[in-house]
Amino acid sequence: MRENYFIRTYGCQMNENDSEKIAGVLENKGYEAVDEIEEADIIILNTCCVRENAELKVFGKLGQLKQLKRENPELLVGICGCMMQEDHVVEEIKEKYAHVDLVFGTHNLHYFSELLEEAKQENSPLVEVWDESKELISDMPVQRSEDHKAKVTIIYGCDNYCTYCIVPYVRGQERSRPAASIVQDIKDLAADGVKEVMLLGQNVNSYGQDLDMEIDFADLLVQINEIKDLDRIRYMTPHPRDFNDKLINTISNLDKVCEQFHLPVQAGSNKILKEMNRGYTREEYIELVNKIRDKNPNAAISTDTIVGFPGETEEDFQKTIELYKEIKFDMAYMFNYSQRSGTPAAEKENQVPEEIKKERLQYLMDLQSEIGAEKNKELIGETVEVLVDGPSKKDPSKLAGRSRTHKIVIFEGEENLTGEIVNVMINEAQSWTLFGELVEKSE
Ligand code: SAH
Ligand code: SF4
Ligand code: F3S
């Protein structure tokens, strides 16, 4: 009898949300989550293929599972997610990883319950991956990873086809969920004690364009802002090209929408931005940031950047550095360009050598670390509102939480404040973290 399960999730929050659905199905069937992979009777790897590194990690893990399967032939090994939408990956698994029992993709996740039952009966591996979404994923039970915060997917897929990116090929076309069903989900979550929702999509501000109804992302935010007992609304990821004035104005008027703006810029050179098919220039991006800061003086702006896109010269890279110095991001995720087969940029001849990419990335990371620390120091002496996540992982004698701007705040307090909103006066700041003292409970 199989009883315990372990899910390992790679990649973005959409994948984390999918894993919560897989966990929901398993919990409904009576399985229990375990912290140690060795104790599991069912292991699911939910994979990401956005960069080569992510794929290498998955294959490494899959290799390790061979031994576990040898020790326990009853173990069921399942693998799913974005990597499974690539034909060559599925072929490789079939050829080299015979210990895998179940393979499924992003488009048939909602059949996980049935697929699992079928796989349990079969001796040979069950491989079922769909090329496209034939239906919008119907309701799946969700096992939340936290009590006071929840992720809610509002739009699946991506139609942007940035030339470096594999996501549109593995996640399919944009499909918005009906607003009524999103709002109902969030009402239920708020009634269940959830204080903060994270609205998810690869491009949240193209929400609604594919629906019959006249509704856009700003309209959706207005509806969600009205939900009683909900305190905070976040969203990930907006596309700078689609961040229009209506959205900026709406957000600054809605009290629950947090002053956190994650705007992936990707590059500072107009030549590279054009080749990436991002749909905005450096000047337009800067103007957008200025407008947002005008309306929301407390706004935190964060970004994603790719270093070493094909054809990126030293001069192009300098444009990225200048942009970082000019904007002063609160936070940035920086990546080396990774060739993804099937994407236009991967076919280009003028690939940047690995050594140069590494050097540029290190330079940019060092720069951002200084800028981040500088931005955070501006907050010393200020009181910020914090939603408490629980004991800090690094120092469990202290509490950790997030400000409205999504900065990590560490302070002393009782564990029973977990899930509460408190005020913290900041007295120390580092590149990634703020430290402070509890002031008084807000409410
Ligand atoms: N839809 C979001 C997130 C996409 S994936 C967006 O548009 O920003 C998250 C980040 O991974 C991207 O912002 C980009 O910076 C990075 N990324 C995507 N493809 C990549 C590639 N081939 N190599 C390196 N980084 C990549
Ligand atoms: Fe990829 Fe661009 Fe879509 Fe983001 S917007 S998921 S980077 S194609
Ligand atoms: Fe990775 Fe898929 Fe997300 S490729 S970044 S897990 S959408």
Side-chain angles (χ1 to χ4, degrees), residues 50-51 158 162 164-167 201-203 237-239 262 264 266 278 304-306 333 335-340:
V50 76
R51 284 171 291 275
C158 181
C162 303
Y164 50 81
C165 184
I166 198 170
V167 170
Q202 292 301 345
N203 180 5
T237 310
H239 196 298
H262 183 65
Q266 311 299 4
R278 288 294 288 176
D304 291 353
T305 301
I306 297 177
Y333 297 95
F335 310 104
N336 270 336
Y337 168 70
S338 171
Q339 264 174 293
R340 304 284 69 208

Side-chain angles (χ1 to χ4, degrees), residues 222-275:
V222 170
Q223 291 190 29
I224 297 173
N225 198 71
E226 281 167 15
I227 296 174
K228 224 170 71 153
D229 296 330
L230 184 71
D231 290 298
R232 288 176 164 189
I233 303 167
R234 298 188 193 278
Y235 49 93
M236 187 80 83
T237 310
H239 196 298
R241 183 199 56 214
D242 301 326
F243 218 106
N244 56 29
D245 290 351
K246 175 182 173 188
L247 185 56
I248 299 175
N249 291 329
T250 306
I251 287 176
S252 57
N253 289 327
L254 297 177
D255 59 326
K256 295 180 185 176
V257 180
C258 291
E259 297 78 32
Q260 172 200 9
F261 296 83
H262 183 65
L263 296 166
V265 67
Q266 311 299 4
S269 135
N270 281 334
K271 178 190 100 194
I272 299 291
L273 284 171
K274 189 149 191 273
E275 293 196 4

Side-chain angles (χ1 to χ4, degrees), residues 311-324:
E312 184 189 72
T313 61
E314 193 51 41
E315 215 183 335
D316 293 318
F317 178 57
Q318 286 302 325
K319 290 279 179 199
T320 300
I321 294 174
E322 282 166 27
L323 186 82
Y324 267 55

Side-chain angles (χ1 to χ4, degrees), residues 99-278:
H99 59 296
V100 172
D101 303 289
L102 171 62
V103 175
F104 59 103
T106 59
H107 297 302
N108 59 342
L109 173 78
H110 54 303
Y111 277 111
F112 170 62
S113 175
E114 290 84 351
L115 291 168
L116 179 66
E117 292 311 320
E118 221 179 299
K120 284 201 290 196
Q121 306 305 326
E122 303 226 354
N123 287 323
S124 53
L126 174 63
V127 179
E128 196 167 322
V129 178
W130 296 359
D131 289 338
E132 58 181 287
S133 281
K134 296 176 190 140
E135 58 226 13
L136 205 63
I137 296 187
S138 56
D139 285 345
M140 282 179 82
V142 172
Q143 178 71 23
R144 280 204 309 280
S145 49
E146 283 158 309
D147 289 335
H148 56 284
K149 295 203 276 195
K151 304 175 193 71
V152 176
T153 301
I154 62 165
I155 176 167
Y156 299 95
C158 181
D159 290 347
N160 282 315
Y161 291 96
C162 303
T163 54
Y164 50 81
C165 184
I166 198 170
V167 170
Y169 306 92
V170 297
R171 286 274 173 177
Q173 275 187 319
E174 282 175 5
R175 286 145 288 143
S176 302
R177 288 181 57 203
S181 115
I182 297 169
V183 169
Q184 188 56 52
D185 276 2
I186 300 176
K187 279 186 182 159
D188 293 345
L189 289 166
D192 195 33
V194 165
K195 300 235 160 106
E196 178 180 303
V197 283
M198 169 70 93
L199 309 175
L200 294 176
Q202 292 301 345
N203 180 5
V204 287
N205 44 358
S206 62
Y207 175 80
Q209 279 174 17
D210 58 315
L211 292 174
D212 294 336
M213 271 167 72
E214 265 294 306
I215 184 164
D216 64 12
F217 182 56
D219 302 330
L220 181 70
L221 287 177
V222 170
Q223 291 190 29
I224 297 173
N225 198 71
E226 281 167 15
I227 296 174
K228 224 170 71 153
D229 296 330
L230 184 71
D231 290 298
R232 288 176 164 189
I233 303 167
R234 298 188 193 278
Y235 49 93
M236 187 80 83
T237 310
H239 196 298
R241 183 199 56 214
D242 301 326
F243 218 106
N244 56 29
D245 290 351
K246 175 182 173 188
L247 185 56
I248 299 175
N249 291 329
T250 306
I251 287 176
S252 57
N253 289 327
L254 297 177
D255 59 326
K256 295 180 185 176
V257 180
C258 291
E259 297 78 32
Q260 172 200 9
F261 296 83
H262 183 65
L263 296 166
V265 67
Q266 311 299 4
S269 135
N270 281 334
K271 178 190 100 194
I272 299 291
L273 284 171
K274 189 149 191 273
E275 293 196 4
M276 286 177 160
N277 190 29
R278 288 294 288 176

Side-chain angles (χ1 to χ4, degrees), residues 51-68:
R51 284 171 291 275
E52 193 186 12
N53 270 350
E55 294 205 342
L56 294 176
K57 274 193 225 159
V58 170
F59 279 120
K61 192 69 178 171
L62 208 48
Q64 289 170 12
L65 296 185
K66 252 182 211 169
Q67 183 60 28
L68 285 183

